[in-house]
Amino acid sequence: MASRCRLFARSLHWVVQIAILAVVGGCLDIEIAEMPVPLGDPEKSHVDPWFNGLWLGDGGVWVFEPYDRRTWLVTWYGIVEDDCARADSSEASVSESEDEPIIEETGAVQAADEESEESDYGSLIAEMRGRQSDCLYGELVGAMKVWLAKIGKATFMTFELKGAFDTETGFVPQYWLAARVIKLEHGELALNYIDPNFDGFLAPDVKAKLEKLDSEEPRKAKTLAKARRAVERVIRNNVDADDLYYGEDPFFSLFRIQPQDYDIFVDDIVPSP
């Protein structure tokens, strides 16, 4: 079987972990704890067309497809290379080792003082165009129901895994991911994930509601709503607190794939209808 190497560094597994493929070929795991409640009500949300389309990030390609007027179905494809040589063999800067990532430095997330966002996207596209088109293909990572919620002065996105089944709870979700979303220039989207271990969530009234929710089998919609509102109140009061979020701001970035670059992705990585 041909050896395969992911093009981008991070892939989400709903454990929930982000597996980082290091430049040397090893793996590091950064655990992102699951949120016990979603943010906002998907029945009261709305789709912002700005997010529609294809996005390129460290995890591969995210497809933001409007499911209805309120939510998206976001499908995530990892980018994989299958035992192919560079189309331009004269570029010696890229290692020919089969065990190394195709992108040598990292994916889309780089320090702001290194390059502009436009250069980041451009360098990723140039790297991909340096590969033989039939060498790259998409590998489905997962699908999520996604919606927006405005909490205080900030906008948040909730990610709910779809296509999963539990022997005890069926299709009813038990955990979510939530991130603050920030629209940046040059078609970049920053996601700053909430840390559920934030001290504010340990306040007695919030903790009591979460413990009640955790004790119920099955969970009641009314209990979930009360716990959600308690968590949202903490977020609203601490929206700019650094320790509410994981890592540095932004923790994760996505770049909008421009129409002139669709030929790289559509059919080979992202299936067409």
Side-chain angles (χ1 to χ4, degrees), residues 84-100:
C84 291
R86 281 191 61 91
D88 182 0
S89 60
S90 64
E91 291 190 35
S93 61
V94 178
S95 169
E96 297 192 7
S97 168
E98 293 180 351
D99 295 326
E100 292 188 13

Side-chain angles (χ1 to χ4, degrees), residues 179-192:
R180 183 175 181 175
V181 296
I182 304 171
K183 298 177 182 178
L184 302 178
E185 296 179 352
H186 313 301
E188 184 184 6
L189 168 63
L191 298 176
N192 215 0

Side-chain angles (χ1 to χ4, degrees), residues 17-136:
Q17 295 179 336
I18 289 184
I20 299 182
L21 182 63
V23 174
V24 295
C27 282
L28 303 174
D29 285 335
I30 296 180
E31 294 188 359
I32 297 183
E34 304 137 323
M35 292 289 290
V37 297
L39 300 184
D41 183 349
E43 296 302 318
K44 297 180 181 179
S45 184
H46 68 280
V47 165
D48 181 348
W50 187 87
F51 295 96
N52 297 349
L54 308 183
W55 293 82
L56 179 63
D58 277 352
V61 178
W62 295 31
V63 182
F64 274 76
E65 175 186 356
Y67 182 76
D68 51 30
R69 293 182 298 174
R70 301 177 178 86
T71 64
W72 289 272
L73 174 65
V74 175
T75 312
W76 193 343
Y77 296 94
I79 303 176
V80 181
E81 183 184 47
D82 229 350
D83 244 1
C84 291
R86 281 191 61 91
D88 182 0
S89 60
S90 64
E91 291 190 35
S93 61
V94 178
S95 169
E96 297 192 7
S97 168
E98 293 180 351
D99 295 326
E100 292 188 13
I102 300 170
I103 298 296
E104 288 192 334
E105 294 300 322
T106 60
V109 181
Q110 297 183 5
D113 58 353
E114 290 182 10
E115 294 184 31
S116 70
E117 281 75 8
E118 287 181 304
S119 298
D120 286 339
Y121 174 76
S123 63
L124 290 173
I125 293 299
E127 181 65 29
M128 294 190 68
R129 289 197 180 279
R131 298 277 157 177
Q132 297 178 22
S133 60
D134 57 354
C135 294
L136 304 178

Side-chain angles (χ1 to χ4, degrees), residues 4 7-8 13 16 24 38 40 44 53 62-63 79-80 111 120 152 154 184 191 222 237 242 260 267:
R4 301 185 302 178
L7 177 58
F8 294 101
H13 304 285
V16 171
V24 295
K44 297 180 181 179
W62 295 31
V63 182
I79 303 176
V80 181
D120 286 339
L184 302 178
L191 298 176
K222 186 175 181 180
N237 294 335
D242 291 339
Q260 65 268 22
D267 288 330

Side-chain angles (χ1 to χ4, degrees), residues 121-264:
Y121 174 76
S123 63
L124 290 173
I125 293 299
E127 181 65 29
M128 294 190 68
R129 289 197 180 279
R131 298 277 157 177
Q132 297 178 22
S133 60
D134 57 354
C135 294
L136 304 178
Y137 66 92
E139 188 174 83
L140 180 64
V141 176
M144 298 165 284
K145 179 180 179 180
V146 176
W147 64 89
L148 296 174
K150 188 71 180 294
I151 301 178
K153 63 180 182 179
T155 300
F156 293 84
M157 222 172 231
T158 295
F159 301 85
E160 178 181 290
L161 182 67
K162 308 308 292 183
F165 183 84
D166 185 272
T167 56
E168 295 182 0
T169 60
F171 294 108
V172 179
Q174 302 297 304
Y175 301 98
W176 295 261
L177 289 183
R180 183 175 181 175
V181 296
I182 304 171
K183 298 177 182 178
L184 302 178
E185 296 179 352
H186 313 301
E188 184 184 6
L189 168 63
L191 298 176
N192 215 0
Y193 286 92
I194 292 178
D195 183 354
N197 296 314
F198 176 63
D199 288 344
F201 298 139
L202 299 177
D205 60 327
V206 180
K207 188 176 179 180
K209 289 181 173 63
L210 291 174
E211 288 178 346
K212 182 178 180 181
L213 177 67
D214 190 53
S215 67
E216 290 184 346
E217 294 183 8
R219 292 176 170 180
K220 297 178 182 178
K222 186 175 181 180
T223 306
L224 178 62
K226 288 182 177 180
R228 174 176 62 81
R229 287 193 291 269
V231 168
E232 289 175 350
R233 187 163 54 249
V234 173
I235 293 173
R236 185 178 295 107
N237 294 335
N238 298 275
V239 71
D240 289 327
D242 291 339
D243 52 348
L244 177 63
Y245 309 96
Y246 281 101
E248 298 179 356
D249 185 18
F251 177 74
F252 192 80
S253 288
L254 297 171
F255 292 92
R256 185 189 306 280
I257 296 175
Q258 300 301 317
Q260 65 268 22
D261 300 316
Y262 285 166
D263 62 296
I264 304 175

